[in-house]
Amino acid sequence: MSAQTLAAPPAPTGQELAVRPSWKAPIAFAVLALVALITFGILGESGQTSTFGISTGSDAWQIDPLALSSQPVALGLSLVCVAVAAYAAWLVRAGQAVPVWLTVLFAIAFVLAFLVWAVAGEQISFTSLLQGALALSVPLVFGALSGVLCERAGVINIAIEGQLLAGAFLSAVVATLTGNLYVGLIAAVVAGLLVAFVLAVFAIRYIVNQIIVGVVLNVLVLGVTNFLYGQLLAPEAATWNSPGTLPRVEIPLLNEIPVIGPVLFEQTIIVYAMYVTVILVHVALFRTRWGLRVRAVGEHPKAADTLGIRVNTVRFRNVLLGGAVAGLGGAFFTLGNVGAFSREMSAGQGFIALAAMIFGRWSPLGALGAALLFGFANNLQSVLGIIGTPIPSEFMLMLPYILTIFAVAGLVGRVRAPAADGEPYVKS
Amino acid sequence: MTDTKPPAAAPEEQRPPAEETFFQRFMRELTGGSILVTILSVVLALLIGAVLIAASDPDVQDRASYFFSRPGDTFEAAWNSVSNAYSALFTGSIIDINEYTVGRALRPLAETATNAAPLIAAGLGVALAFRAGLFNIGAEGQIILGAILAGYVGFGWHLPAGLHLIVGVLAGLVGGAVWGGVVGLLKARTGAHEVIVTIMLNYVARFLIAYLLTTAAFQRPGASNPVSPIVDDSAQLPRFFDDSRLHLGFVLVILAAFGVWWLLERSTMGFEFRAVGANPNAARTAGMSVSRTYVWVMLLAGGLAGLAGVMQVLGTERYLTSGISAGLGFDAITVALLGRASPWGTVAAGLLFGALRAGGVPMQAGTGTPIDIILVIQSLIVLFIAAPPLVRAIFRVRVRSAGQPVAGLQRGWGA
């Protein structure tokens, strides 16, 4: 991180703190807008229509599928991108920072332009696109929240992947053994706690490097779950690995809203727990005394200690809390979605969650937004893979990782970790 | 360091200086801890592995149901289960005493060396970066890029014998170096934390190879699954024996270890690496370019990991698959940690983990114990090594911290 940000105060929710507005954002916007204008607009096939299904069969109000003339609409959206880029350039020239909403607007216009271009001559269901995106986002959101809870207190949590995997494994096994899915959910929390406990003991008690403990814990959980899967779960799936899935709970009235209703309010209890957790963590972190203490410990442990906050106790608790949250997210793989555990089920999602946390600037709402974006990109990739598009799916899958590299390199906006993140506190 | 008996009036462990950063402390433990801690960690990890093997064995579970009437049965079954697995591990990796000729009895040892070679190469890359205070989690991606370039030269170009192999090896080194160098460059220019960038680049590399194997240039003609053509004979690392996969790569890797040792201990550049690792601010004050050091060290570290990719594609496997890195990148981190970030320590650790890998395959085939137990044992070893106080507490031994601390500086994400 460059020297000029060192003196900056603790970041509130994802606000731009740049002292001097940077030209990076307008330049990035301009390049992308140009790409959109040329590829999606000018070079797009003319005379094609892109059809988006809005309603599902069971909706109370039926809305006809939206048929758009591909090239003109993509062109229009690209021009919106160009306009945003121009406005951003004007703002920076006037000495003002580029606001977050402008970035969001740009992203939405760009993605829609891409979508209209990619779907030209085909039909996709907008609602199921979003449903799939949410399903892929849920573990990411839980994982990223786990990261936020740990890192705001100054402990780096690379072990999100392991916590997710442990949660997925233990929830499936316990739910099968007890025959009760909700006991399985509790087991998922316990599994996440266990991994977090080891992380906390090694990182805080024994002051082992946090990144190393995290990396090694991921390998350990992978090894243990793979081993037990091969030894027990695979040969005797009926006794060990057939938990089934949680029922979907419909929230009356809210699920009647077109598009949003079926996507958000016909979900399993894990997803509702996710909504609650995001809000709880956000409010607790930024609006309560507890949150102030946690952030103080993560930013300046010595000052916090001077004021009588027990730094390592706060950190220990937060790491455990983060583990519990990530463990619950792991249960979504098994109980929330597939209904059985399989080898290496988390498949790197813990690392995307880490990326989402960084991309979301260590704030719960930011992490939520980034996780939803990454989930959307992932689902878009598989949907477009089915209808066939000009872009290879592997490049879509790379997107979250490349965006994160851009984010940490300060090419788009600037991200800043809590000041004492990763540094153990030894009372002298 | 090997003297484990504390002197009569052993002074209590030297207290670290108050200003020591935690990475310095970690590096001091890493490089200054006793061999005894390493051995005890391995023993402890094997014991826990044994418990896991015994507890998950269906036979043991059956007998444990009448544990209180005949406890001996449970213990006998547990002993059988564990001893079968571990002896299969041993015969699969060191020496097979059931074979009649010396050559065939020693074949497991050659297999161990084959498995160890890429582990050591990638481990050297991680260790070198450690010494400059950088966490290179990205060996996985660097291996993949090295394998992609080396493999492409191997099957895509058709050069004269001799030259072909040299060009292939160099291409692999370049591939890994570029993937690592990007990290060093971003760190030097923008301050982007190398851990985040390397993790992300690992995934980019995975998707890149998955994509390439679907293209006409890389996919084997007529194959429906994503595999590349087999590399030309002229580009293959020659094998030493008829009935073993051991290839020239093992010699290359020992040369590489010697090179890293020379670089770190005898060259100006290596001195700068260590100085930057110890304290970048002091190094900067002394007139060294910290940025340039980051770029160079990551270029070299990436090149070493790329060498591991070369060995996988031109030596062991001889064609590209999306699983060409075979988890080597993450094992390389544990190898470098176990080897305490020193070149020869990394060689020793690589041989140990290579033996576990080599023995794991016949163990799984012969006794049904899943090979994943190896991952458990490896990660436990490293966990215990990283926390010597824990090992000391468990075994109730006092271990003298000896040796010179290799100081290093590691701050959090923000550094």
Side-chain angles (χ1 to χ4, degrees):
Chain A
M1 201 76 0
S2 58
Q4 59 189 2
T5 56
L6 283 179
T13 61
Q15 278 175 16
E16 192 60 67
L17 284 164
V19 182
R20 201 159 33 85
S22 155
W23 276 98
K24 283 171 185 164
I27 291 171
F29 285 177
V31 171
L32 287 174
L34 215 60
V35 169
L37 194 64
I38 294 171
T39 335
F40 309 150
I42 295 169
L43 294 182
E45 284 180 81
S46 56
Q48 297 276 22
T49 49
S50 309
T51 316
F52 296 95
I54 304 291
S55 295
T56 53
S58 57
D59 284 6
W61 300 295
Q62 288 289 331
I63 298 172
D64 287 337
L66 193 63
L68 300 170
S69 180
S70 306
Q71 202 200 9
V73 175
L75 198 63
L77 287 164
S78 312
L79 288 174
V80 173
C81 290
V82 173
V84 171
Y87 181 57
W90 179 80
L91 276 179
V92 170
R93 213 182 140 71
Q96 284 174 288
V98 178
V100 174
W101 65 263
L102 205 61
T103 313
V104 173
L105 179 68
F106 183 88
I108 291 173
F110 187 85
V111 168
L112 285 179
F114 169 76
L115 210 53
V116 170
W117 168 72
V119 183
E122 302 279 347
Q123 177 169 10
I124 59 169
S125 162
F126 203 63
T127 309
S128 59
L129 180 67
L130 292 181
Q131 267 170 338
L134 185 69
L136 288 172
S137 303
V138 173
L140 299 182
V141 175
F142 278 110
L145 282 179
S146 165
V148 169
L149 282 168
C150 293
E151 303 211 356
R152 277 288 178 172
V155 179
I156 291 176
N157 186 4
I158 299 264
I160 299 172
E161 173 83 4
Q163 291 162 349
L164 287 175
L165 191 60
F169 177 82
L170 204 62
S171 64
V173 170
V174 171
T176 314
L177 289 178
T178 61
N180 187 332
L181 292 167
Y182 298 95
V183 179
L185 281 185
I186 296 169
V189 171
V190 171
L193 272 176
L194 278 177
V195 179
F197 181 75
V198 180
L199 174 66
V201 166
F202 276 85
I204 299 169
R205 167 79 178 78
Y206 290 114
I207 320 186
V208 181
N209 187 295
Q210 296 164 3
I211 294 172
I212 288 173
V213 185
V215 169
V216 174
L217 272 179
N218 286 336
V219 179
L220 180 63
V221 175
L222 187 73
V224 171
T225 54
N226 274 357
F227 174 78
L228 291 177
Y229 181 79
Q231 192 86 316
L232 299 174
L233 271 60
E236 291 171 70
T239 10
W240 295 99
N241 191 21
S242 48
T245 51
L246 288 160
R248 284 177 186 272
V249 183
E250 294 182 7
I251 296 188
L253 292 178
L254 287 176
N255 72 342
E256 303 281 314
I257 305 170
V259 184
I260 298 173
V263 173
L264 295 182
F265 300 110
E266 289 176 8
Q267 293 289 355
T268 60
I269 187 171
I270 302 179
V271 179
Y272 297 125
M274 180 187 84
Y275 304 152
V276 175
T277 315
V278 171
I279 296 166
L280 263 185
V281 172
H282 192 84
V283 171
L285 212 47
F286 296 113
R287 295 279 181 276
T288 67
R289 185 180 300 182
W290 174 83
L292 188 64
R293 289 186 175 171
V294 167
R295 284 181 290 138
V297 164
E299 295 289 342
H300 202 318
K302 198 161 196 172
D305 191 18
T306 316
L307 294 172
I309 300 172
R310 280 183 293 172
V311 172
N312 284 335
T313 313
V314 169
R315 288 187 168 177
F316 213 100
R317 278 191 202 142
N318 263 54
V319 172
L320 292 186
L321 205 57
V325 169
L328 188 59
F332 184 78
F333 288 116
T334 46
L335 306 184
N337 208 354
V338 179
F341 181 82
S342 58
R343 282 170 66 98
E344 301 177 26
M345 198 167 201
S346 52
Q349 298 288 298
F351 290 111
I352 306 194
L354 185 76
M357 176 201 70
I358 295 162
F359 205 64
R361 301 174 183 207
W362 284 267
S363 101
L365 291 183
L368 172 73
L372 290 174
L373 178 72
F374 292 171
F376 181 76
N378 194 352
N379 190 46
L380 192 61
Q381 155 299 111
S382 57
V383 170
L384 295 184
I386 294 164
I387 64 172
T389 54
I391 293 201
S393 63
E394 287 85 2
F395 288 101
M396 298 279 296
L397 286 168
M398 282 181 199
L399 198 65
Y401 305 108
I402 293 178
L403 281 178
T404 304
I405 294 175
F406 282 164
V408 290
L411 296 181
V412 183
R414 181 180 285 126
V415 294
R416 184 187 148 276
D421 203 3
E423 290 175 51
Y425 182 67
V426 185
K427 211 165 183 166
S428 51
Chain B
M1 270 178 54
T2 48
D3 178 21
T4 54
K5 208 169 60 179
E12 276 304 303
E13 270 182 67
Q14 287 179 325
R15 278 190 60 77
E19 291 82 8
E20 195 179 46
T21 67
F22 90 107
F23 191 72
Q24 282 171 335
R25 188 196 139 98
F26 158 68
M27 290 305 287
R28 187 170 56 79
E29 296 284 11
L30 196 67
T31 53
S34 148
I35 298 279
L36 182 63
V37 171
T38 311
I39 293 169
L40 291 180
S41 301
V42 173
V43 170
L44 203 55
L46 285 173
L47 281 176
I48 295 179
V51 171
L52 204 57
I53 291 172
S56 64
D57 190 328
D59 195 31
V60 180
Q61 285 166 357
D62 285 349
R63 293 177 195 221
S65 58
Y66 56 90
F67 181 81
F68 289 105
S69 52
R70 290 181 68 185
D73 273 19
T74 310
F75 288 120
E76 194 193 333
W79 170 254
N80 283 339
S81 160
V82 171
S83 63
N84 284 344
Y86 280 171
S87 59
L89 198 60
F90 182 80
T91 49
S93 61
I94 311 292
I95 186 165
D96 191 348
I97 46 172
N98 296 323
E99 289 290 350
Y100 297 106
T101 64
V102 176
R104 291 180 67 181
L106 288 177
R107 211 170 90 186
L109 210 55
E111 191 60 18
T112 291
T114 312
N115 277 287
L119 273 178
I120 296 169
L124 285 171
V126 179
L128 185 66
F130 263 135
R131 297 296 282 269
L134 294 178
F135 270 103
N136 181 16
I137 313 273
E140 188 86 5
Q142 293 149 13
I143 291 170
I144 292 174
L145 260 283
I148 288 174
L149 288 197
Y152 184 71
V153 169
F155 60 75
W157 296 4
H158 305 288
L159 302 172
L163 183 67
H164 199 172
L165 179 60
I166 294 169
V167 174
V169 172
L170 287 179
L173 293 180
V174 168
V178 167
W179 217 238
V182 168
V183 180
L185 196 67
L186 283 177
K187 168 117 185 154
R189 294 293 296 273
T190 70
H193 199 284
E194 76 277 4
V195 170
I196 301 172
V197 179
T198 47
I199 288 174
M200 301 305 146
L201 282 179
N202 284 344
Y203 283 96
V204 175
R206 273 189 210 176
F207 291 121
L208 185 67
I209 192 171
Y211 165 71
L212 287 175
L213 286 172
T214 63
T215 60
F218 276 82
Q219 195 170 15
R220 189 184 297 179
S224 54
N225 49 342
V227 292
S228 81
I230 294 172
V231 296
D232 291 1
D233 284 345
S234 53
Q236 291 179 357
L237 289 162
R239 292 184 176 171
F240 293 130
F241 310 108
D242 288 337
D243 56 353
S244 153
R245 297 194 296 172
L246 186 63
H247 52 76
L248 187 67
F250 191 75
V251 177
L252 290 183
V253 97
I254 297 302
L255 290 177
F258 180 79
V260 171
W261 170 83
W262 183 87
L263 178 79
L264 281 171
E265 307 295 334
R266 294 285 182 275
S267 73
T268 316
M269 187 188 248
F271 178 74
E272 290 193 2
F273 286 0
R274 287 184 291 137
V276 168
N279 187 337
N281 294 325
R284 192 180 288 116
T285 311
M288 299 171 192
S289 167
V290 176
S291 314
R292 208 185 58 203
T293 302
Y294 284 155
V295 176
W296 269 109
V297 81
M298 282 312 294
L299 275 173
L300 292 174
L304 285 164
L307 181 63
V310 169
M311 279 184 272
Q312 282 293 92
V313 74
L314 300 185
T316 314
E317 302 292 339
R318 305 197 156 173
Y319 58 90
L320 270 180
T321 61
S322 53
I324 192 77
S325 68
L328 284 168
F330 282 98
D331 283 5
I333 302 168
T334 49
V335 163
L337 290 170
L338 181 59
R340 291 163 193 270
S342 85
W344 299 116
T346 304
V347 171
L351 284 171
L352 175 66
F353 282 10
L356 288 174
R357 272 179 171 245
V361 179
M363 180 193 71
Q364 176 160 342
T367 68
T369 307
I371 193 169
D372 306 288
I373 193 72
I374 304 304
L375 282 180
V376 179
I377 293 172
Q378 283 179 356
S379 48
L380 285 174
I381 292 174
V382 175
L383 264 189
F384 292 135
I385 285 188
L390 182 70
V391 175
R392 279 175 230 163
I394 291 171
F395 285 99
R396 297 179 182 280
V397 291
R398 291 205 304 181
V399 180
R400 209 155 45 94
S401 287
Q404 284 295 310
V406 169
L409 181 80
Q410 174 62 37
R411 301 193 61 240
W413 292 136

